[in-house]
Amino acid sequence: MELLFGVVLGLTLAVASPAHDSCTCATNKWAVCAQDGPGNCTCRLVGSDHPVDCSTLTPKCFLMKAEMIPLKEKRLWRPPQALSDSDGIYNPDCEDSGTFKAKQCNQSSTCWCVNSAGVRRTEKGDRSLSCRELVRTRWIYIELTHKRSSSAFDVPDVVKALTQLFESRYKLQPKYIAAIKYEPPLIQIRLEQSKKPRWDVDIADAAYYFEKDVNNDSIFHSNSKLSVSVNGDALAIEKLWIYYVDEKPPEFCMRQLAAGISAVVTVVVLTAGIGIAVLLILRWLHTRKYKKFESKEMSEIKTPSLE
């Protein structure tokens, strides 16, 4: 009887273990998951009560919020190296859907307006700053360079490899990959998404996941290092730049342009003023010398000769 009980217990544990191990979020290592029923696994973002859809990418706003949580609260879900690179990271205010709120503020009551990718698009102000709408980021330009000792890759092979990467790893529809241009060692990727259906991945989320992968700080639960292969050869990415283009121009753009024009005008006016002053001084010196010479001649004419 005891032997039969042990066999049943062992089989039960063997069946239960895979179910328990499968209760993880493949697309978000910072998600805390729990088995709340047979075959039902619920995952929520660490440090908040937001549920996470692990079948797709987590919105960038939620990810940035998770990154701002102290390590002691996140325990094992955050890698140590993530703490050393916090440039551009702030604790954002998110809508329930995961989108950024148009107005963001920090603890010192400094506020600014952001686009749908969470990037600041206005000058910073106080809490009276008004952000009327969340301006959508329509294009994202990704520029990267790679290293390779031998000859360059073929253009069609690079385009195919990167298209498959964004489609399979980041769940981005190929129709949102507007163009991929390759001029060794520079690769340019343009993502375009005027409107985002609720069921599609946002290009800002895909770009953020890609950026984390390139920086060896993957958000995926497996924490696997990004590996891009072009016809069996590794595409080793060295540097990465990401640029955001909104549907409407940034509001601080004209102010900076005006400041630049004012600076140029000031330089031109000062240069012209100095030039005029130099000309006047030279003319004064020349006139003075001429008058002195003329006065000397007149004095010689008026003085009678002793002979």
Side-chain angles (χ1 to χ4, degrees):
M1 185 69 181
E2 293 181 357
L3 179 61
L4 179 61
F5 176 76
V7 171
V8 172
L9 179 61
L11 291 174
T12 302
L13 292 175
V15 172
S17 295
H20 177 74
D21 292 340
S22 64
C23 190
T24 57
C25 188
T27 58
N28 194 332
K29 64 183 177 183
W30 295 326
V32 179
C33 304
Q35 198 89 29
D36 54 4
N40 189 19
C41 181
T42 301
C43 299
R44 295 184 178 276
L45 192 65
V46 62
S48 68
D49 197 36
H50 292 289
V52 178
D53 183 0
C54 297
S55 65
T56 186
L57 302 188
T58 304
K60 179 181 176 181
C61 190
F62 284 164
L63 295 176
M64 289 176 59
K65 196 170 189 67
E67 288 183 88
M68 292 301 297
I69 299 172
L71 184 61
K72 62 181 181 181
E73 295 183 27
K74 296 171 71 170
R75 296 181 183 177
L76 300 178
W77 288 279
R78 183 172 188 173
Q81 64 267 27
L83 295 175
S84 62
D85 185 11
S86 60
D87 292 340
I89 298 298
Y90 60 92
N91 190 2
D93 292 326
C94 311
E95 302 287 357
D96 291 338
S97 61
T99 59
F100 289 89
K101 290 187 177 181
K103 182 178 178 178
Q104 299 290 332
C105 301
N106 58 19
Q107 296 180 351
S108 63
S109 299
T110 300
C111 301
W112 59 93
C113 301
V114 300
N115 56 21
S116 61
V119 179
R120 183 168 66 91
R121 51 175 282 110
T122 65
E123 300 289 351
K124 292 184 178 181
D126 54 23
R127 291 193 176 273
S128 64
L129 178 68
S130 176
C131 303
R132 291 172 293 180
E133 61 178 333
L134 181 68
V135 179
R136 174 153 188 80
T137 296
R138 185 176 181 182
W139 294 286
I140 294 181
Y141 291 87
I142 302 174
E143 295 184 357
L144 55 95
T145 58
H146 71 85
K147 56 183 178 180
R148 191 185 184 194
S149 56
S150 57
S151 59
F153 297 104
D154 292 332
V155 175
D157 295 335
V158 173
V159 173
K160 181 180 179 181
L162 290 175
T163 301
Q164 290 178 346
L165 172 71
F166 276 87
E167 183 179 2
S168 60
R169 186 173 177 87
Y170 307 117
K171 318 297 182 185
L172 189 66
Q173 295 280 354
K175 62 182 179 181
Y176 297 133
I177 305 175
I180 298 178
K181 186 177 181 180
Y182 178 44
E183 295 179 354
L186 177 67
I187 301 175
Q188 295 174 307
I189 305 172
R190 190 183 74 184
L191 307 180
E192 181 177 354
Q193 191 179 52
S194 300
K195 295 181 180 179
K196 188 194 84 65
R198 185 172 53 87
W199 53 85
D200 280 348
V201 169
D202 195 301
I203 57 174
D205 299 338
Y208 194 65
Y209 268 76
F210 180 61
E211 180 182 8
K212 288 293 186 180
D213 277 341
V214 172
N215 293 332
N216 294 325
D217 188 17
S218 177
I219 299 172
F220 292 100
H221 186 269
S222 61
N223 202 23
S224 59
K225 187 176 180 180
L226 178 65
S227 177
V228 184
S229 177
V230 180
N231 277 346
D233 293 330
L235 180 69
I237 300 174
E238 284 188 307
K239 297 180 181 179
L240 175 71
W241 302 270
I242 299 181
Y243 305 94
Y244 303 88
V245 181
D246 299 341
E247 291 180 340
K248 297 181 180 180
E251 295 180 17
F252 55 76
C253 181
M254 293 306 297
R255 186 179 302 179
Q256 290 181 344
L257 180 61
I261 294 175
S262 299
V264 172
V265 171
T266 302
V267 171
V268 171
V269 170
L270 287 175
T271 304
I274 294 173
I276 293 173
V278 170
L279 289 176
L280 290 175
I281 293 173
L282 291 176
R283 184 176 179 182
W284 177 76
L285 291 174
H286 178 74
T287 304
R288 183 183 177 186
K289 183 178 180 180
Y290 176 77
K291 287 183 176 180
K292 185 177 180 181
F293 176 77
E294 186 181 31
S295 175
K296 182 179 180 180
E297 283 188 341
M298 292 297 296
S299 63
E300 289 179 352
I301 293 173
K302 293 180 180 181
T303 304
S305 177
L306 296 177
E307 300 176 353

